[in-house]
Amino acid sequence: MLSDSATDLEEAGVVHASDRWLTLDDARRAALPVLPGDVRDLLDEGSADDTTVTAVRAALDAVQLIPRVLSGVSHCRTSTRLLGAKAALPVGVAPLDCLERLHPEGEIATARAAAAAGVPCAVGMRSGHLLEAITAECPDTWFQLPGLPDRVLSAALVDRAESVGCRALIVSAHPGDARDTAFSWTDLAWLRGQTELPLVVKGILHPDDAAHAAHLGADAIVVSHHGMRQLGTVAPGISLLPAICDAVARRAEVLLDSGIRSGTDVLKALALGASGVLVGRPVLWGLAADGQRGVERILSLLRSQLEDVMVLAGCRDVPQARRLDHLTQGGDARFRR
């Protein structure tokens, strides 16, 4: 509990409620009571009686690090490159929609927080703010296109994203409901020919699909369950990472967007081959509970946690973390030589 003096500082705006969060779950606990019921259910539930949510968390927990000792690592560098651009962390904000339901500044606050943290910010099409206003706050903005077979509309959206300074485009494989599955590999190939911006394909879970997307020119693959609110009983993304990274064979970056809740989760994704991760729900919790400051706190916690665990695991930088040769997955130890 805060002391009287700390409470006074918080009420005066000097100390924010989010300053007291020590984990990302603290943000969840702060956000859920202030959300409308339907939004709270959307952010705190998954499909098929939460079986995918439960499986994703269990799979992340099943990846266990085996630290090396006497490595002489006392500090680390978390900086990296994502889609060719510098990033302070191997972390980006996942594409999110309708954020004004969580906070009046919505995507603007989120973009400012991402820019302050030095990470990319992806934006969904159903934003409550103009795209040019968002890109003005975060120069490393990635725009998510709907997976539509309507090429006239898609071309117009690509032109708009390019004109306002978006740095990458994301297209989702089979978003929404079954009616959206008309978007096909042929459409993806056409889309690749419409822009020179980096193209990211989100929602890949099968290694063969990842390989085909890379063959068609995708610059990055996002291993994602789309918020774990669509098809239930799906294999956890963290379990599929090694096979997907092998299938892509460095032709495209691989990002994980499934259940990241700590810096340790980020390191596990890197160790299994990912270039980085995208974070969704924790950003929403931070935004709902404390606006821009809340999102900044989420990203700050991820950075400090990642720094700590990298040092403890003997990793000096992100490239070394991606070559981490000592972990177990599902109880089977991996020791690369």
Side-chain angles (χ1 to χ4, degrees):
M1 181 175 293
L2 287 175
S3 66
D4 290 340
S5 59
T7 301
D8 291 341
L9 288 173
E10 185 174 305
E11 291 176 351
V14 177
V15 175
H16 288 249
S18 56
D19 293 336
R20 296 182 287 133
W21 299 345
L22 299 179
T23 68
L24 272 61
D25 202 50
D26 289 338
R28 173 182 173 273
R29 285 189 290 267
L32 294 183
V34 303
L35 291 171
D38 60 330
V39 178
R40 182 172 60 249
D41 293 343
L42 186 66
L43 296 189
D44 211 39
E45 295 180 357
S47 62
D49 297 323
D50 288 342
T51 52
T52 302
V53 174
T54 302
V56 166
R57 185 65 257 163
L60 279 161
D61 290 339
V63 178
Q64 298 173 319
L65 304 172
I66 306 173
R68 299 297 297 271
V69 298
L70 304 180
S71 61
V73 176
S74 59
H75 66 279
C76 66
R77 295 187 300 275
T78 60
S79 59
T80 190
R81 301 188 76 87
L82 295 175
L83 295 182
K86 292 181 179 178
L89 294 170
V91 172
V93 174
L96 306 166
D97 280 317
C98 304
L99 298 188
E100 70 277 4
R101 294 201 65 188
L102 306 181
H103 189 276
E105 291 189 317
E107 289 84 1
I108 297 295
T110 304
R112 287 173 178 163
V119 301
C121 181
V123 179
M125 192 181 75
R126 293 187 294 274
S127 168
H129 297 271
L130 293 175
L131 191 55
E132 51 262 52
I134 299 170
T135 56
E137 300 295 343
C138 182
D140 198 359
T141 296
W142 304 355
F143 179 61
Q144 183 176 28
L145 298 165
L148 297 175
D150 185 335
R151 295 186 176 180
V152 174
L153 176 58
S154 294
L157 290 171
V158 169
D159 290 343
R160 174 159 172 72
E162 292 178 335
S163 68
V164 302
C166 290
R167 210 188 58 76
L169 297 175
I170 303 175
V171 62
S172 289
H174 306 340
D177 56 38
R179 292 171 297 179
D180 296 320
T181 59
F183 187 78
S184 69
W185 291 116
T186 301
D187 296 303
L188 180 64
W190 171 85
L191 183 61
R192 173 68 284 177
Q194 302 306 301
T195 181
E196 294 184 358
L197 289 176
L199 182 62
V200 181
V201 182
K202 179 177 181 287
I204 297 289
L205 292 173
H206 197 289
D208 290 349
D209 289 342
H212 195 47
H215 173 72
L216 293 178
D219 296 281
I221 305 298
V222 181
V223 179
S224 173
H225 304 96
H226 298 303
M228 296 172 279
R229 289 189 297 269
Q230 296 188 21
L231 180 63
T233 64
V234 174
I238 192 75
S239 302
L240 302 170
L241 263 182
I244 288 176
C245 291
D246 287 345
V248 168
R250 299 186 179 181
R251 291 174 293 168
E253 296 179 23
V254 177
L255 305 171
L256 177 67
D257 170 19
S258 290
I260 299 298
R261 298 293 182 264
S262 70
T264 301
D265 290 345
V266 177
L267 180 59
K268 291 177 179 181
L270 296 175
L272 290 172
S275 300
V277 305
L278 299 182
V279 180
R281 271 190 175 95
V283 168
L284 299 177
W285 300 334
L287 179 67
D290 202 13
Q292 178 183 337
R293 185 62 175 260
V295 179
E296 290 178 353
R297 181 61 174 166
I298 290 294
L299 297 173
S300 175
L301 283 170
L302 283 173
R303 178 169 190 159
S304 61
Q305 292 170 356
L306 179 59
E307 289 173 341
D308 288 345
V309 72
M310 283 178 63
V311 168
L312 292 172
C315 299
R316 290 183 173 85
D317 53 27
V318 171
Q320 188 174 9
R322 295 190 67 204
R323 297 192 300 270
L324 191 65
D325 62 353
H326 35 286
L327 54 83
T328 70
Q329 188 175 17
D332 296 324
R334 296 168 29 139
F335 296 97
R336 289 197 290 265
R337 302 301 183 192

